[in-house]
């Protein structure tokens, strides 16, 4: 199998490390060679962050380049736009519609671009956009945005639900498992 | 017992003695290698991208682990453990090795007792660093072997092999990581631990490096390099991967992965796992087998220069940049191969630089320093973000501890013109690391300098490590606690005051009075990092839109939880921790707690 690429993007502190850990675990269990590349340190302080997940028969590079991503999984819509050029032609975007103002917007030095989902659609790109924050709150915590997104992403994978559930159980602290299972189910039950 | 599919990866299936595969961070794989190699002692100072090695090693009960005040102390402590006959280790980032270079260069002469391995983690691309230095120069200059893994499996295997080499060749061994190896997860197969200890024997000629002894050790070092070069020629660390075609590529570390991604089996590859000393005959033989020879290496052209020194024609630097990190597309482009690209929107996408967190205790102090128009000489930590908009306050960031030395020299030269408005700012952990000696200079040579110690009771930037001022050790257990005020008093400072950075008026008065004083002074700006688990947050604030006049006074502190919507300030309740700093800037008392 040709190597498949996922990039997970968002704002530092939003929980992308758990999402990549869970995906890595799941894909390894499916028998793939897997590499995950993360960002630690300064950029985690509210900066733009990206995590790369690659899987296939044999994976070499740990990073994903422009035009290579089969999936962009995004925690925030401006970050979706920022990393858009990483999407492969025909690739799928799964994104939260939440807006978090970056400091240049807060200080008035820049404007937050309007109607990003519409603009991405007009480019003919496949975008599955949803308000993950509301769903995460419904599940019991605004921090479960990452799991809502994974629930949605599971639609695009030919991997049975039991495997996702097992990956959840193995990577989420037991006291938050029910909450996260609910978040996963809410993300999964969405229809476009 | 049957194999249970629900077992976490990495668990031993004890019925078969088979070890399961596990997806593991490069740094965690080094820690696993330490465990399996029988390492007993780890001492490090945190630094991205090396920190997780020590944080993972502490999970093994068989390994004693600690955070040292700085890298030099860590390396000397680990050397002491090796001398005692126990396998020892320390880890640091590239710039950390600058601090620890002094013991390293002479440890090369003394050699070791039990195995001694040092990780240095480079940061090509400056993801979290103040420069992009290439640590391979240290291996050459100190004449010690250097191994470079290219993924997690190699990180584990090379760590174990490094201990064998350390003991066989009687040398410290450098294991060079880089961001993409340290912070990438790939598959490893963990093994079992083996103990290795040696007795300590007094040996003055070997370990006391006074001139007469050092002179006799130097030829031993040169002979060791010759023997290690022989090992590099035939040992398992360097290998040729036969490909098709006429192109041959010599590469190492993460660059190997990019080369494989682009060329697959279409090029012959000489993969170097040992980058000091470099082989000679192996390279000659490889070069003879190919028509076109290239070196692909990040940062400096060390392998390429070596190949050229052998009189072999080679390309590399003429195609590839000597700055920043590589990727598969960068290499494909350099070799004229097809690259991929995607679509972008026409909109300008505003950048999202890192910022001080909502509730960060540094914010109030930086706002106060900006208000007084101070010249702020900074240091290394989260508070370096005091240099970015809208605070734009810090005017210098060099290296760990430099703020105090720089303020001293600055004030000595400018005198009255700067003494009343210049401060050094330094965090508690950075102060313990190398601020204390700078402070001794201020105390001794008496510059009229004001030092602000930003005491957030943790090492923040690297992800919350304990330090000698926190009273807790690496496991979070009670430990010694250095009293900052008492330390400063002992150095002879008379003006030492503690302020709460959440109280802007208190900060302002302290800055005004200490800068006006005709003697050196210390302001300790004390409040724990808002992200610490034990810190209790107040309920978020909310803005009364009726009272808000849209004056943007609250925007001047650059809090990510406050934004303007339809001309009024709005607080993001998911981020706000109720620190109340914004409210002190509001002329209309528009902020109130949501608790009421």
């Amino acid at each position: 199998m040709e190597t498949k690429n996922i990039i997970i993007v968002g704002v530092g502190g939003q929980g992308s490390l758990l999402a990549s850990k869970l995906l890595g675990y799941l894909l390894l269990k499916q028998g793939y060679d897997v590499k995950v590349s993360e960002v630690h340190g300064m950029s985690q302080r509210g900066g733009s962050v990206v995590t790369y997940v690659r899987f296939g028969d044999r994976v070499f590079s740990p990073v994903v380049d422009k035009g290579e991503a089969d999936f962009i999984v995004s925690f925030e819509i401006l970050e979706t736009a920022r990393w858009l050029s990483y999407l492969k032609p025909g690739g799928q975007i799964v994104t939260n519609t939440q807006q978090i103002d970056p400091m240049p917007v807060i200080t008035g030095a820049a404007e937050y671009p309007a109607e990003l989902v519409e603009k991405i659609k007009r480019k003919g790109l496949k975008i599955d956009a949803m308000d993950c924050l509301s769903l995460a709150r419904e599940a019991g915590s605004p921090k479960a945005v990452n799991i809502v997104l994974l629930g949605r992403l599971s639609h695009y994978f030919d991997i049975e639900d039991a495997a996702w559930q097992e990956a959840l159980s193995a990577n989420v602290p037991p006291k938050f498992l029910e909450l996260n299972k609910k978040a996963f189910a809410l993300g999964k039950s969405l229809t476009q | 017992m049957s194999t249970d599919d629900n077992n976490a990866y990495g668990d031993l299936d004890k019925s078969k003695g088979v070890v399961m595969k596990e997806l593991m961070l490069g740094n965690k794989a080094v820690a696993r290698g330490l465990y399996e190699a029988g390492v007993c002692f780890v001492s490090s100072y945190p630094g991205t991208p090396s920190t997780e090695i020590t944080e993972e090693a502490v999970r093994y009960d068989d390994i004693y682990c600690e955070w040292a005040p700085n890298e030099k102390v860590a390396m000397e402590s680990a050397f002491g453990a090796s001398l005692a006959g126990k396998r020892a280790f320390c880890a640091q980032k590239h710039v950390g090795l600058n601090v620890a270079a002094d013991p390293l260069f002479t440890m090369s002469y003394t050699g070791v007792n039990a195995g001694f391995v040092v990780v240095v983690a480079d940061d090509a691309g400056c993801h979290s660093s103040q420069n992009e230095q290439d640590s391979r120069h240290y291996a050459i200059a100190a004449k010690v072997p250097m191994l470079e893994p290219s993924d997690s499996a190699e990180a584990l295997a090379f760590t174990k092999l490094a201990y064998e080499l350390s003991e066989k060749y009687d040398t410290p061994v450098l294991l060079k990581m880089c961001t993409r190896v340290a912070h990438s997860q790939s598959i490893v197969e963990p093994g079992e631990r083996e103990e290795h200890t040696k007795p300590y024997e007094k040996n003055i000629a070997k370990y006391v490096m006074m001139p007469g002894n050092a002179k006799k050790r130097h030829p031993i070092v040169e002979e060791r390099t010759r023997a290690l070069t022989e090992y590099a020629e035939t040992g398992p660390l360097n290998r040729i991967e036969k490909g098709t075609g006429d192109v041959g590529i010599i590469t190492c570390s993460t660059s190997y992965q990019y080369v494989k991604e682009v060329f697959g089996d279409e090029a012959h590859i000489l993969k170097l796992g040992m980058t000091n000393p470099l082989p000679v005959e192996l390279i000659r033989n490889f070069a003879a087998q190919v028509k076109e020879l290239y070196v692909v290496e990040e940062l400096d052209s060390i392998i390429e220069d070596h190949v050229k020194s052998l009189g072999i024609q080679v390309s590399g630097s003429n195609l590839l940049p000597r700055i920043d990190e590589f990727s598969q597309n960068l290499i494909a482009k350099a070799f004229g191969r097809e690259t991929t690209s995607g679509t972008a929107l026409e909109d300008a996408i505003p950048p999202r630089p890192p910022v001080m967190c909502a509730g960060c205790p540094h914010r109030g102090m930086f706002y106060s320093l900006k208000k007084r128009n101070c010249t702020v000489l900074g240091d290394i930590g989260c508070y370096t973000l005091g240099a970015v908009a809208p605070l734009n306050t810090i005017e210098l960031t060099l290296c760990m501890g430099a703020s105090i030395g720089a303020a001293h020299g600055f004030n000595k030269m400018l005198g009255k013109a700067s003494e009343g408005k210049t401060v050094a700012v330094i965090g508690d952990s950075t102060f313990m690391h190398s601020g204390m000696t700078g402070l001794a200079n201020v105390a001794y040579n008496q510059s009229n300098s004001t030092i602000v110690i930003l005491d957030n009771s943790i090492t923040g930037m690297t992800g919350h490590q304990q330090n000698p001022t926190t009273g807790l050790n690496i496991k979070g257990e009670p430990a010694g606690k250095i009293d900052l005020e008492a330390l400063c008093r002992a150095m002879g400072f008379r003006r030492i005051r503690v302020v709460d950075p959440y109280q802007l008026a208190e900060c302002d008065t302290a800055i005004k009075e200490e800068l006006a004083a005709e003697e050196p002074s210390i302001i300790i700006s004390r409040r724990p990092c808002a992200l610490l688990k034990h810190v209790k947050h107040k309920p978020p604030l909310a803005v009364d839109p009726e009272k808000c006049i849209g004056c943007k006074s609250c925007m001047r502190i650059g809090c990510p939880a406050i934004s303007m919507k339809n001309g009024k300030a709005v607080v993001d309740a998911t981020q706000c921790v109720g620190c109340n700093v914004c409210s002190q800037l509001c002329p209309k008392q528009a902020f109130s707690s949501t608790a009421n």
Side-chain angles (χ1 to χ4, degrees), chain B residues 235-349:
Chain B
L237 286 159
N238 302 328
R239 65 166 189 264
I240 291 172
E241 295 179 9
K242 292 263 182 207
T244 56
D246 300 330
V247 171
I249 299 173
I250 305 175
T251 186
C252 64
S253 186
T254 193
S255 298
Y256 163 78
Q257 306 291 357
Y258 305 138
V259 166
K260 286 295 282 186
E261 192 73 35
V262 172
F263 288 92
D265 298 328
E266 292 169 24
H268 304 275
I269 293 171
L270 172 54
K271 198 267 187 195
L272 298 176
M274 184 169 181
T275 47
N276 192 60
L278 286 164
V280 174
E281 292 311 314
L282 184 63
I283 289 172
R284 284 194 202 281
N285 293 340
F286 182 71
Q289 289 167 33
V290 299
K291 283 194 178 145
E292 292 171 50
L293 184 66
Y294 300 90
V295 173
V296 177
E297 58 188 324
E298 283 184 336
L299 298 178
D300 297 339
S301 55
I302 289 171
I303 298 172
E304 186 182 342
D305 292 349
H306 171 75
V307 175
K308 283 180 177 164
S309 78
L310 302 176
I312 297 168
Q313 201 177 349
V314 62
S315 303
S317 292
N318 51 334
L319 300 172
L320 294 157
R322 295 273 70 102
I323 53 170
D324 212 340
E325 59 178 350
F326 292 170
S327 70
Q328 50 268 37
N329 261 354
L330 183 141
I331 288 167
K333 200 175 168 193
F335 283 88
R337 295 196 154 218
E338 196 185 332
T339 58
T340 54
S341 61
T343 314
L345 295 182
E346 285 75 28
D347 295 67
I349 306 295

Side-chain angles (χ1 to χ4, degrees), chain A residues 11 24 28-29 32-38 40-42 45-48 52 54 60-63 65-68 76 78-79 81-82 84-85 87 100-107 110-111 113 116 119 123 137 166, chain B residues 5-7 9 23 25 48 52 128 180 183-187 257-258 260-261 327-329 340-355 357 382 385 389-390 460-461 555 558 560 562-563 565 574:
Chain A
V11 179
L28 182 69
K29 280 256 175 174
Y32 296 113
D33 186 17
V34 183
K35 282 191 178 169
V36 177
S37 194
E38 306 165 347
H40 301 220
M42 190 172 230
R45 299 281 173 266
S48 170
Y52 307 109
R54 310 191 72 215
F60 290 104
S61 169
V63 301
D65 237 319
K66 283 187 179 175
E68 284 189 339
E76 202 269 353
L78 182 65
E79 295 309 310
R82 185 187 317 284
L84 202 59
S85 60
L87 195 68
I100 300 174
D101 288 350
M103 197 48 69
V105 171
I106 288 178
T107 60
E111 272 190 35
L116 287 171
K119 285 173 184 163
K123 287 272 174 196
R137 285 201 175 107
E166 196 271 317
Chain B
D5 282 340
N6 287 326
N7 273 353
Y9 277 94
L23 199 57
L25 199 66
T48 312
E52 298 82 6
S128 210
R180 291 300 174 192
H183 286 166
S184 293
Q185 299 179 42
S186 56
I187 296 171
Q257 306 291 357
Y258 305 138
K260 286 295 282 186
E261 192 73 35
S327 70
Q328 50 268 37
N329 261 354
T340 54
S341 61
T343 314
L345 295 182
E346 285 75 28
D347 295 67
I349 306 295
R352 192 187 297 276
V355 292
C357 308
C382 289
L385 294 169
M461 177 59 80
M555 305 295 287
I562 310 175
S563 55
K565 293 275 147 61
T574 64

Side-chain angles (χ1 to χ4, degrees), chain B residues 513-558:
Chain B
E513 291 178 3
E514 296 316 316
L515 282 171
E518 290 293 332
E519 62 181 294
S521 57
I522 314 259
I523 300 171
I524 299 172
S525 176
R526 180 170 287 150
R527 184 171 270 277
C529 172
L531 298 183
L532 283 168
K533 283 198 177 114
H534 64 79
V535 171
K536 295 273 177 278
H537 293 161
K538 289 185 178 165
L541 303 186
V543 177
D544 182 344
E546 298 295 314
K547 289 185 183 168
C548 176
I549 54 169
C551 70
K552 297 187 179 175
S553 294
C554 56
M555 305 295 287
R556 295 203 301 261
I557 50 173

